[in-house]
Amino acid sequence: MSLFTGINVVSISVTDLDLAREFYGTVLGLGAPLYDLPDAGWIEFSSGAPSGNIAVTTAPEGWEPSTSTTVVFNTADCYAACAELRARGVRCDDPVVFPGYVVYCNFYDPFGNRLQMCSPAP
């Protein structure tokens, strides 16, 4: 029996909550925050799933972007989503195919945090 029942929220450190609100809410299309608490250094968005929200939090002094732990978003078509994000000005690496498994693509928020999206392999 598992001790856990799912993921509640994944928190991503950022240096500018206003810029993060715009990027995650508008550019990525996550919409209006579920919780918008800038005085507490916390803005939380729905990931579009029943659980597993995405939060942005104020980064501490000396912080550097995360490129090791990666938030991976599901998308129906990684190629189309990559093209759309690029059209919106988002830095995206080229999609990578693991034949028979998955297509994934790294992309980056304005702070340099690496994010990823994936879709089923063609």
Side-chain angles (χ1 to χ4, degrees):
M1 176 172 106
S2 176
L3 186 63
F4 305 107
T5 60
I7 292 176
N8 181 279
V9 65
V10 174
S11 177
I12 303 166
S13 294
V14 299
T15 55
D16 181 328
L17 287 176
D18 291 331
L19 181 58
R21 183 185 298 106
E22 173 66 20
F23 179 79
Y24 285 88
T26 303
V27 176
L28 294 188
L30 299 181
L34 298 172
Y35 306 102
D36 197 341
L37 307 165
D39 291 340
W42 185 273
I43 301 173
E44 186 172 328
F45 300 90
S46 170
S47 67
S51 65
N53 291 340
I54 305 297
V56 292
T57 59
T58 303
E61 191 76 28
W63 169 87
E64 293 191 21
S66 175
T67 58
S68 55
T69 301
T70 307
V71 176
V72 182
F73 292 91
N74 291 321
T75 185
D77 182 337
C78 194
Y79 292 104
C82 179
E84 179 60 30
L85 286 181
R86 285 177 172 162
R88 295 178 186 186
V90 177
R91 178 179 146 218
C92 298
D93 295 342
D94 290 334
V96 175
V97 178
F98 276 110
Y101 294 99
V102 68
V103 178
Y104 75 91
C105 176
N106 294 323
F107 64 100
Y108 303 84
D109 73 8
F111 314 98
N113 291 308
R114 182 184 67 194
L115 305 165
Q116 198 173 85
M117 60 184 142
C118 70
S119 63

